[in-house]
Structures are given as structure tokens and as C-alpha cells.
Amino acid sequence: MVKYMKFSIKFKSTIFIALLLLFTVVLLNFMVLNGLEKYQQRQYENYLNNTAKNANLFIQQEIGSNNVVNSKSYLSKNGQEFVMRLNTMTGLNMIMYDFKGKQIGSSFVLRNRPDLEKIVEHSLDGKRAYQIIGEVIYYSSPIRVADEQIGILEINYSIKEFIDFYNAIKKLFINVGVIVFTISFIGGLLYFRSFSKDILSLKGTVQKIKEGKYNDVSIIKRKDEIGELSEGIYFMNGKIKNQMIDMEIEHEKLKFAIKKLKEMKDQQKQFIGNITHEFKTPLTAIKAYVDLLEMYSDDPNLIEEARMNIGKESKRLFEMVKKILKLSSMEKYDFELRAEWIQVGEILEDVCKRLKGKAKIYGIKIYTDLQNIMVYVDKKNFIQIFMNLIDNAIKYTDADGQIHVKAYKHEDKVIIDVEDTGIGIPEDLRDKVFEPFFTVNDDRSRKISGTGLGLTLVKEFVEKQNGKIYLLETSNKGSIFRVELPVEK
Ligand code: ADP
């Protein structure tokens, strides 16, 4: 994998600004120095042209005032003198050549100057030419008298001052460049530090979202694009957070639904198994009597016994079928529940009244302590729940026993306790009693127990009303079944 060196935005921006300024300085330097050079060139070209013109004029005057017939040989003879005079007049060193290029005069004390044949050659052709070597300009120009070239004058001109000035300006620019770069680099670093601080903070925010820490995300308060970006990220974070929560809830629901489905499937299997088993017992008994009757059809005692037992078993079967139908219809026809506001105390009083007759037969007394609380439930279901619970309490309580039915409000719930002084339920079967077809398998219970569907039905009813039912207490001195229903709609 190729790994790139990573530079921060702060560093990159600073370098960019510093280089931009440096480039400006370099460009300015180039333009100014170029202009300066051209200006200097024009200056010394003009100066040298004028000097050469004046020197030519001086020679013309000399020739004119002396009535010279042959200017060329006159110049050759007086070349050295002319050069010396011109040197005195201008302060410049000069060399004079005749029309063939032979030196005829020089103001130089020492003869150590570069070879300048080329420019001399140029001037032999009647042109002006110059060459810069080191700090000196070697300028040569033809000497003319009445349109005839009679020689060449070479002027040596020092441009040290120009070069010094030029170099001083160049140095100034280099210094300015270094100062500008340093200042802009430091200034840039300081300026971009605050800027990049917020960008780093945004980067941190994005990292937090990546890690799912949605609650740690905050907004950077700035009135520019970074501020807007931060607001956008904050808004997005909110959306992602909500979606994640929704997804989690959906996920939980799905998990719960799958669990429920599995449970239901198991329950259904168990239920069918139980039905088959429970149906078998009375059916076996009925079949046995039918077989016996076939064999001893004229035994009046058997007929009487068979009639009684077949009647009892078929009643048991009928009861079972009734309850099974009720259970299955509850699962299928949810919408048939019709909730309404009812007075808990009033209805329970009524239920107890209806069961007092049965209780009296068994020598049991029912006491009530009921507050009048309004709940929003299906009235029929509510009656069914307590009919079953109080009926069980009567069934599993010995003579002279007592049943207490209490109703009161606690927080946002109504609590209804059905308490008896009956035989109780073994501790380890406390939850099992709500399972379909479950009956406690001891002598006393077996004598009275019915189909084992009553509490299953009760639990189903209570849960349909968003309530809870549980066995609060149980011992050989009695049991308390508690129902909790929500008071709010
Ligand atoms: P059943 O028709 O057998 O009464 P239930 O579902 O109503 O069926 O009750 C299941 C079993 O729980 C009963 O067979 C009985 O053994 C036990 N039971 C229910 N209520 C009481 C109670 N109040 N006291 C003691 N045992 C009880």
C-alpha cells in the first residue's frame, strides 16, 4: 500500500500563502530589475553616443581650422595628441585607430585590455558597436569627415556605479523576500490555527458518529461555511441517531415476535398433546361402559352406574370443549373485545353476590373490601376473570373457610386480591397453574380439580386487558391471587 505523507490543512494553507507572497516579491523584483537595467542601458548608450559625436566634432573642427588636405594621414599623425586631449576633456580613456584599424593613439598607461577586434571590425564598416566586459563598456564609433570615414575612436567607460546600484536593489529585494516569507509563514500559521482547530473538531465529530457516540456531538458556533457544515453534521447526526434507535426497536420487536412465534408453536403442540390426553380419559371411561353394557345389557345396577358415569364424563367433555372454544376464539377474534369504563367495586360486589350461594353450600364466607375505581376494560372479560378466581377459591377451600376480595388503587394501577384460606398450591408449581390442562396432582386437589383450563383462560383475559396476574402468596393456610390492571385508558 502506498503511504502518503500527511500535511495538515494549516500547514498547507500557510505554505501556500507564504509562497504566493514570495512569488509576488520575486515577480516584482524581476520587473523592477529588468526596468532598471533597460533604463541604465539607455542612459549609457546616450551618453556614449553623445561623447562620440562631440569627439568627432572636435576632430572635424581641428581638421577644418588647419586647412588639412588629407584628413586620413592628418589623423594618423595627430592621433595620440587628439586622444590625450579628448581624455582630458571627458575624463575617459580612449584609443584611436586609422581607417584600416591600426592603433594611432591611446590614453592608456598600461596596455592590458581585452581583445576587442570584433567591435573594431564593426566600426571599420562604419557602424557603432559596444561590448561589456566586467565593469567596463568598450564602445567604438567611426570618425567621419565630410561623409568619409577616416578612423575609429574606442571609448572605455566604467559602469561600476550602475552595477553597484543594480546589485544593491537586487539585495534589497532578496531581503524583502526573506522577510515577507518569514512573516507570512508565521502569520499564516497563527491565522490558520484557529481555522484548523474547528476543522479538527469537525473531524472528531465525524469520528464520534462513526463510533455511534451520537450523544457526544455538538455544534461549532461560527458564522461561515464551517458553522453551516457543523450545523448540517449535527442535523444528520440527529437523523442517524433516530434511525438507529428505530432500527434497534424494530430489531427487538422482530426478536420478540420470533420468540413468541416459537413459544406459540410449542404451546400449540403441547396444547394439542394435552387435549388428546385429556379427551382420552373420559372417552376411555365412556367406551368401557359401552363395552360392559354390550355384555351385560340386562344388569340394572350396571345400567344405573353407566348412566351416571357416562353422564359425568360427557359433562366433563362438554365443559372442556366449551373452554377450548373460548380459548381459541380469544386468539382469533381480538377485535371483539369491547372496552368501556366500569366501576371495579360495583362489578366485583355483584360477582361475589352471585357466588355467595355456592359458597354457602360449602360453608364458606365471602368478605369484600372494595374501593370504587374506574377502569377501562371489557366488562364480560372482567366478570369472567373474577368468576373463575373466586370459584377456584371456593373449590379449593374447606368448610368454615373464608374468602376475601379486596380492590384498591396503587399508583396508576388497580390491584385486586382474591384471598382464600384453602389448601394452597405447592411452592414449585406456583407458575405452572397458569398452563393449559395443568392440575395439582395431590389427593385433595385431584378430588375436586376440573379441566385445568380455568386459570389459563383467566391469564389470557387479564393480559388482553394489558394487566398482570400472579400467585402472590400460597401455603397450606391459603392462597392469594393478585390481578393488576392499568387505570388509564
Ligand atoms: P381447574 O379447572 O382444575 O380448577 P384451573 O386452571 O382453574 O383448573 O386451576 C389449575 C389448578 O390449580 C387446579 O387444578 C388446582 O390444583 C390449582 N388451584 C387453582 N386455584 C387454586 C386455589 N385457590 N387454591 C388451591 N389450588 C388452586
Side-chain angles (χ1 to χ4, degrees), residues 18 31 34 45 47 66 87 118 125 127 161 190 215 259 318 335 348 355 397 428 431 434:
M31 282 162 67
N34 209 28
E45 274 179 2
Y47 175 73
N66 288 310
N87 173 250
K118 276 242 172 74
D125 283 348
K127 289 173 201 153
E161 258 179 53
L190 291 176
N215 291 330
K259 198 177 141 224
F318 188 70
F335 54 87
L348 284 178
L355 286 167
T397 301
D428 53 326
D431 294 321
F434 296 101

Side-chain angles (χ1 to χ4, degrees), residues 357-369:
K358 185 174 176 183
K360 212 174 166 186
I361 298 172
Y362 295 98
I364 297 164
K365 284 208 171 92
I366 302 180
Y367 298 95
T368 54
D369 178 7

Side-chain angles (χ1 to χ4, degrees), residues 392-393 395-396 420 423-425 433 438-440 445 449-456 479 481:
N392 273 357
K395 275 200 301 192
Y396 301 104
D420 63 48
I423 59 175
I425 294 161
V433 290
F438 182 83
T439 52
V440 175
S445 302
S449 77
T451 55
L453 286 171
L455 285 178
T456 312
S479 319
F481 279 90

Side-chain angles (χ1 to χ4, degrees), residues 163-182:
I163 291 174
D164 285 351
F165 181 67
Y166 180 90
N167 284 341
I169 297 286
K170 202 162 145 184
K171 209 170 145 194
L172 186 78
F173 268 109
I174 291 172
N175 288 341
V176 168
V178 170
I179 292 169
V180 162
F181 185 78
T182 314

